[in-house]
Amino acid sequence: MSLLAASSTAFSKLSHQSPIRRTSASNDSRSPPHGRVVVARASPVPAADGVELEGELELPRWAGETSLSRFIGALISFKPLFSVMKLGARQLLIGNAEKANIPWREMTNEILNSDVYKEMESVQNPSLVYPDYYLNPFHAYDEGNLSWLAAAEAEAATMSIAKLAVPNAPTVDEANKIVRGNWLKAIENHLKQYSGNSEINDILDIGCSIGVSTRYLAEMFPSANVTGLDLSPYFLSVAQYKEKKKAARIKPIRWIHANGECTGLPSKSFDLVSLAYVLHECPQRAIIGLVNEAFRLLRPGGTIAVTDNSPKSKVLQELSPAKFTLLKSTEPFLDEYYLLDLEKTMRDAAFVSVRTIMTSPRHRTVTATVPHC
């Protein structure tokens, strides 16, 4: 029997084992939790209008410390098979994009053949020391986020993910409106309910990538000073290049090359800190560090807004074995993300009014507030 055939048989058996409903969050920043504590299912997470309800589990069977998850981890650790998976994941993502009429190759070549390289000198902090986890391969790129190809393909990938999240949307633009619109609405609702009508004067978008989420925030709050911060100077170069091609803003976006866990920015200097699709790429120690840094940076009454994959997503819980294996092969810290109780992590950092809402069939938005006094 071939390796792939054997894998398929094992998947079939393991996929039907009873899953662990939830593991307790760990405060150990060095590694994911090893002790499994089964707890009762939490109350259902509310959903934005038109968003499919959550699945029956606390997290997918293929995530965490289940037998299925460990089996997938063993497959991924086998280098020859990992190389095949990585290629398969990349081909699947590009294929899905092109089926949705996203001109992936044209968009990529447009960036790679442009003057984007001239932006590097002005955005890069040459003294920045990268955290060890950031040097791992990500998203089927050997150099992870530290490459021009990853930066050039980021916008097409973002569009593809939005369409994948809302497959019934007639166009990619419509899918983006739903995914981004529900995220922004969750922020708006939290601000109205918990910020005490505080003005949003200063916004920080941590892990801004090529600036897609940053620009949405700048458009929602046109009078605010908006800063995009990322560890990748390649992504920031594309962000700055694309921003220069747009009409000038009254308040230009500032781009900073820094570590979101230790930004070096002044304490209590922001009213809103956003992390959009960042945490699933981080080990638990980094997630905890990012949440703590956001708390330090926010003024009293300030808001943190995290949008990312939802462990309770019915769609993600029902992914086929082939798709969730390819997904995990490109996301080295996915298990750590799913095992961490994000809401508890925020409360441990002293945030209050922690709220979670499903903002797409695949994603949740978690918002919280720094106490007013």
Side-chain angles (χ1 to χ4, degrees):
M1 182 183 291
S2 70
L3 177 59
L4 290 178
S7 300
S8 178
T9 302
F11 275 135
S12 179
K13 293 179 180 178
L14 291 171
S15 294
H16 291 88
Q17 291 185 359
S18 297
I20 296 169
R21 294 282 174 148
R22 180 85 186 196
T23 57
S24 61
S26 169
N27 289 325
D28 183 353
S29 63
R30 295 169 298 174
S31 62
H34 295 290
R36 290 182 283 178
V37 181
V38 181
V39 299
R41 177 168 168 74
S43 300
V45 173
D49 292 343
V51 174
E52 188 176 1
L53 296 177
E54 65 190 54
E56 296 181 356
L57 310 176
E58 289 297 307
L59 68 163
R61 289 182 175 88
W62 46 263
E65 298 175 340
T66 63
S67 298
L68 179 58
S69 178
R70 288 194 292 269
F71 179 72
I72 297 169
L75 291 179
I76 293 172
S77 67
F78 183 54
K79 289 187 177 180
L81 189 55
F82 171 70
S83 298
V84 174
M85 290 179 182
K86 185 173 63 174
L87 178 61
R90 178 172 171 76
Q91 290 177 336
L92 180 65
L93 187 59
I94 296 175
N96 285 337
E98 293 181 337
K99 285 178 184 176
N101 296 317
I102 299 169
W104 181 293
R105 291 174 174 82
E106 290 85 346
M107 293 174 69
T108 299
N109 288 332
E110 182 180 349
I111 294 295
L112 292 177
N113 295 327
S114 71
D115 293 330
V116 67
Y117 310 99
K118 296 178 180 178
E119 308 297 334
M120 176 69 81
E121 185 177 358
S122 63
V123 300
Q124 186 176 29
N125 174 8
S127 63
L128 179 64
V129 177
Y130 295 104
D132 57 356
Y133 77 86
Y134 198 72
L135 301 176
N136 279 276
F138 280 100
H139 303 156
Y141 302 106
D142 290 336
E143 303 87 358
N145 292 333
L146 296 172
S147 76
W148 284 115
L149 182 60
E153 292 186 332
E155 184 172 18
T158 299
M159 294 168 65
S160 179
I161 290 168
K163 188 65 171 70
L164 199 61
V166 193
N168 294 328
T171 65
V172 174
D173 285 344
E174 198 63 32
N176 256 322
K177 287 178 183 177
I178 294 170
V179 173
R180 301 288 179 172
N182 286 341
W183 160 61
L184 294 173
K185 187 67 175 178
I187 294 174
E188 181 184 29
N189 288 342
H190 193 97
L191 291 172
K192 286 180 179 177
Q193 190 167 0
Y194 301 108
S195 71
N197 294 319
S198 300
E199 288 188 16
I200 303 300
N201 296 314
D202 298 283
I203 299 173
L204 177 63
D205 188 23
I206 295 178
C208 68
S209 181
I210 62 166
V212 175
S213 55
T214 322
R215 280 185 275 274
Y216 273 101
L217 291 167
E219 289 162 9
M220 182 177 180
F221 301 97
S223 63
N225 301 303
V226 179
T227 300
L229 181 148
D230 203 273
L231 269 169
S232 173
Y234 301 89
F235 283 22
L236 290 171
S237 295
V238 173
Q240 183 166 280
Y241 172 77
K242 293 180 76 66
E243 186 65 14
K244 285 181 177 180
K245 292 175 72 68
K246 296 180 177 293
R249 300 180 191 273
I250 297 175
K251 293 194 173 181
I253 296 173
R254 179 173 60 146
W255 308 103
I256 296 180
H257 183 212
N259 185 345
E261 299 173 67
C262 184
T263 63
L265 298 171
S267 298
K268 300 180 180 179
S269 55
F270 293 94
D271 304 297
L272 173 64
V273 171
S274 168
L275 295 106
Y277 310 106
V278 174
L279 298 191
H280 74 276
E281 298 183 359
C282 302
Q284 286 189 5
R285 66 181 187 273
I287 296 174
I288 293 169
L290 288 164
V291 170
N292 287 334
E293 179 69 352
F295 187 89
R296 183 187 72 83
L297 291 169
L298 284 165
R299 298 179 177 116
T303 297
I304 182 174
V306 172
T307 192
D308 215 314
N309 295 341
S310 173
K312 295 184 179 182
S313 162
K314 185 174 186 290
V315 173
L316 292 178
Q317 289 181 7
E318 296 178 356
L319 283 179
S320 69
K323 287 185 177 179
F324 64 62
T325 301
L326 292 178
L327 174 63
K328 292 190 74 170
S329 73
T330 65
E331 302 285 3
F333 302 109
L334 207 54
D335 282 339
E336 293 199 40
Y337 168 72
Y338 280 140
L339 281 170
L340 184 69
D341 185 332
L342 181 57
E343 292 87 346
K344 181 179 183 299
T345 299
M346 289 185 175
R347 288 191 289 269
D348 288 347
F351 281 102
V352 297
S353 303
V354 181
R355 298 292 182 269
T356 300
I357 183 170
M358 292 288 291
T359 42
S360 92
R362 288 173 174 252
H363 305 118
R364 62 178 173 177
T365 296
V366 186
T367 50
T369 302
V370 173
H372 289 269
C373 57

